[in-house]
Amino acid sequence: MPRLSEKTRAQRRQHILTSAWTCFSRGGFHTTSMDQVIAATGMSARAVYRYFGSKEEIIRASAEEGVTRVRDIFSGLLDRDLIPSPAETLALLVAELRSRTTNPDYDMTRLALQTWAEALRDPVLHEHARASYRDALYQIAVLTARWRDAGYIPPNADTNAAAATLFTLMHGLIVMHHLVDDVPADALRNGLSLLGAAVIGPYTLPATQPQEAKP
């Protein structure tokens, strides 16, 4: 039997993952069996086990893929010739969330919710997710630093705090979508403006430039 090319191997591995995502979106991590995943792939059990030794390996790979896609959102923004403004970024995040929930086969945001819960149980997944999320947060901090340089936020603004807020907001949108209602981009922008004006109070920006985030 001829050896598969690296491209074919990558395609088959991705096919197994997307087949599993369809199962996980419908039934969740724990009610979905490995046999169901194998059936969804249309491949033999032996072929599937060449790529993943267990359902736990598929779950971990799915979590890593999900966080990588989050990181890629912000990497894509950083690659643009013109950095989007904070308001434009909020609109892009809302649009990105919508695009992920309209896939007819699987919903990556449902997998995100399951991954957060699973990470509390699985220490290996917890460490993988933690490292990946910290990397994604660094990408966002680079974006907020460019906002500062472009004049969108004050020159002595804490860009790490801005990045953490944006990162938290993005995941809150997922919770709202699945458990309450979608938040439109204009409502999000207006709400943040109101909260910003309300909470600033006597707080003043630090006189010295805060240390930049490190990868």
Side-chain angles (χ1 to χ4, degrees):
M1 184 175 181
R3 293 186 60 182
L4 300 176
S5 67
E6 287 300 319
K7 180 179 179 180
T8 300
R9 286 180 59 82
Q11 289 174 337
R12 289 192 179 183
R13 183 180 187 278
Q14 190 63 36
H15 171 67
I16 295 169
L17 279 178
T18 54
S19 298
W21 297 344
T22 299
C23 297
F24 293 153
S25 289
R26 294 171 182 168
F29 287 160
H30 293 291
T31 59
T32 298
S33 68
M34 192 63 176
D35 286 342
Q36 288 174 314
V37 172
I38 292 169
T41 66
M43 300 166 62
S44 68
R46 183 178 180 182
V48 172
Y49 279 112
R50 286 197 190 104
Y51 295 88
F52 298 100
S54 65
K55 187 177 72 173
E56 284 68 29
E57 287 188 17
I58 295 178
I59 291 173
R60 292 169 184 170
S62 299
E64 184 174 342
E65 176 83 11
V67 178
T68 297
R69 293 188 181 196
V70 170
R71 185 182 62 223
D72 289 347
I73 295 172
F74 293 96
S75 297
L77 296 180
L78 293 172
D79 288 339
R80 295 188 177 194
D81 293 332
L82 294 176
I83 296 297
S85 69
E88 290 169 335
T89 299
L90 290 179
L92 288 169
L93 289 180
V94 171
E96 179 67 24
L97 172 63
R98 185 179 300 113
S99 71
R100 293 183 182 214
T101 59
T102 56
N103 186 305
D105 297 320
Y106 56 84
D107 183 343
M108 291 298 290
T109 65
R110 289 179 66 90
L111 298 186
L113 287 171
Q114 296 176 61
T115 298
W116 300 338
E118 188 69 9
L120 300 180
R121 185 195 67 84
D122 182 344
V124 175
L125 178 58
H126 183 276
E127 288 307 310
H128 275 247
R130 178 179 173 82
S132 297
Y133 275 131
R134 289 176 73 90
D135 186 36
L137 186 57
Y138 169 75
Q139 295 288 330
I140 304 173
V142 173
L143 175 65
T144 56
R146 293 190 183 179
W147 285 348
R148 178 200 61 205
D149 297 341
Y152 290 121
I153 57 179
N156 57 346
D158 186 343
T159 56
N160 292 332
T165 300
L166 185 59
F167 193 52
T168 303
L169 180 69
M170 180 174 60
H171 292 86
L173 288 171
I174 295 175
V175 174
M176 286 294 292
H177 170 76
H178 288 288
L179 300 179
V180 189
D181 289 305
D182 286 321
V183 182
D186 57 346
L188 193 63
R189 184 176 62 250
N190 292 339
L192 284 172
S193 298
L194 291 170
L195 283 174
V199 303
I200 193 66
Y203 175 81
T204 57
L205 291 169
T208 57
Q209 179 65 40
Q211 186 176 0
E212 296 291 339
K214 295 181 180 180

